[in-house]
Amino acid sequence: MRVVDTAEVIFLVDNATDSLSSSPGFVETEFARLRRRGMPWLSGKCLCCAAHGLSCLITVRTASASRTLLFDTGPEEWVFERNAVRLGVDLGEVGAVMLSHGHWDHAGAMPRALQMITMGNGGQPVPTYMHPAMFALRATKSADGQFRPMELVPSVEVLSGSGADVIVTRDEQLLLDETFYVSGEIPRVTRFERGFPGQYRQTAAGNWEPDEVMPDERYLAINVAGKGQIVFTACSHAGLINVLTHARARFPEIPLYGVFGGFHLSGVTGPIIPETVEALAQFDLQLISPGHCTGWRAVSALAAAYGETVAPSVVGKTFLL
């Protein structure tokens, strides 16, 4: 993984909006970005929309070039398009798209996102990285035994028709001049991280089978000069500690600096908050940015344990690293 001089991370979709809380100096809030772009007064007609999901636009720069990757797209096309337009991002610069795992709240806007990218890049196909296990029908099981299905991830045919050059693989990848690392399947090594309890997938025969492990989830990483490895984990169904353990083992010569993403420490996974917060200390992170599905109890516990190291992500926020 090549070292880059700087990185810019813009959250196009996230569960919350918050321009009032204090932020570190390297973070620009949604309000500040909109004012910088010419918003003369505060107005709802200028603001982004929060939604249950995640999408972030990551741009890395070296002395000779910049490279941009779109990491997930959020749950719905209207939200993605509204926020991208209002934040004034140039989607034509996107050189690759990665879907972190096969859930609707990260994949729902993929067709429109690809259309917007190709409209901005002159119609060039966009390399789009998917895991083969992402496309199955998934569901949770209610107390009465009924299966509640989730919206499917857009098919290869739909994505290709929207401008994607779809690469379906389980293997790790180095993308965009080796400035972005996409992991392979994440080893499960901790005792307490169980995946997605209660999830099922439909087999080819139409039967439901347990699907808690979610092998299709992968993380993204970059290496920023003077800092080190920064990890993006969209939902952490594999477990935040499993993700960071793999990232450290995969690049032992690059110190871990920070982590962005949904840590999924809410709902059925809420009980593992204490163990996760304690185990996180071993990585000596300088930036912890929880968002999306982390949950307020976990964010509060992280802030209590790690203080100013914690800078939550919200929609419209820009991190300059």
Side-chain angles (χ1 to χ4, degrees), residues 9-32:
V9 183
I10 305 174
F11 283 86
L12 303 181
V13 180
D14 209 325
N15 285 36
T17 177
D18 179 11
S19 283
L20 301 182
S21 297
S22 61
S23 297
F26 58 87
V27 176
E28 183 180 54
T29 65
E30 177 191 357
F31 285 4

Side-chain angles (χ1 to χ4, degrees), residues 42-55:
L42 283 174
S43 167
K45 296 180 177 62
C46 301
L47 301 183
C48 293
C49 178
H52 180 81
L54 184 72
S55 176

Side-chain angles (χ1 to χ4, degrees), residues 15-102:
N15 285 36
T17 177
D18 179 11
S19 283
L20 301 182
S21 297
S22 61
S23 297
F26 58 87
V27 176
E28 183 180 54
T29 65
E30 177 191 357
F31 285 4
R33 182 183 180 90
L34 294 175
R35 287 194 179 102
R36 178 170 57 80
R37 296 191 63 245
M39 180 177 69
W41 57 77
L42 283 174
S43 167
K45 296 180 177 62
C46 301
L47 301 183
C48 293
C49 178
H52 180 81
L54 184 72
S55 176
C56 58
L57 192 69
I58 308 162
T59 299
V60 297
R61 297 182 174 89
T62 62
S64 59
S66 67
R67 299 286 182 266
T68 299
L69 182 143
L70 180 63
F71 183 63
D72 292 352
T73 64
E76 197 268 336
E77 296 185 343
W78 176 85
V79 173
F80 179 89
E81 182 168 3
R82 170 188 172 123
N83 292 353
V85 169
R86 294 190 174 191
L87 291 169
V89 299
D90 184 2
L91 292 174
E93 295 296 314
V94 173
V97 175
M98 176 195 169
L99 180 61
S100 62
H101 64 294

